[in-house]
Amino acid sequence: DVRNTFEHAIGHFLHPTNNAPAINPNTTTFSSFDSTFCAKNASSLANKTVLMYCTGGIRCEKASVMLKRRGVQDVYQLSGGIHEYVQQFG
């Protein structure tokens, strides 16, 4: 979840097999995403597949670049964000 803590608290996706919640980045603004979430978590995510989402897709695009610059290569995002997902799947 690339959204801030307030948005994450409103609702978030769950892992399809174990119901684990999406990771809360614990940010109040996106401008701190790289210096907080990426800096703290990139090494633990380096060998994993990362699926990112946000409200409209823009923050995901930027966040995926931030993680890739820190060595996380297997990064994907929900195209069009939650808005597009809701339009397609309700």
Side-chain angles (χ1 to χ4, degrees):
D1 195 343
V2 178
R3 302 168 308 145
N4 63 46
T5 299
F6 175 76
E7 293 169 304
H8 181 84
I10 291 171
H12 48 270
F13 287 106
L14 300 175
H15 190 282
T17 59
N18 64 17
N19 278 344
I23 297 171
N24 182 348
N26 292 312
T27 58
T28 54
T29 63
F30 182 71
S31 61
S32 64
F33 188 82
D34 187 42
S35 63
T36 56
F37 180 82
C38 294
K40 292 177 186 174
N41 296 287
S43 61
S44 66
L45 297 172
N47 295 314
K48 296 181 179 180
T49 299
V50 177
L51 307 172
M52 305 177 96
Y53 66 92
C54 58
T55 304
I58 306 260
R59 286 180 280 185
C60 292
E61 290 287 337
K62 293 178 179 180
S64 64
V65 170
M66 292 173 189
L67 279 177
K68 286 181 179 182
R69 285 184 181 158
R70 291 181 179 269
V72 183
Q73 295 304 310
D74 202 12
V75 181
Y76 301 90
Q77 63 242 242
L78 181 62
S79 180
I82 294 170
H83 283 227
E84 183 67 26
Y85 179 86
V86 169
Q87 283 192 350
Q88 286 188 27
F89 303 103

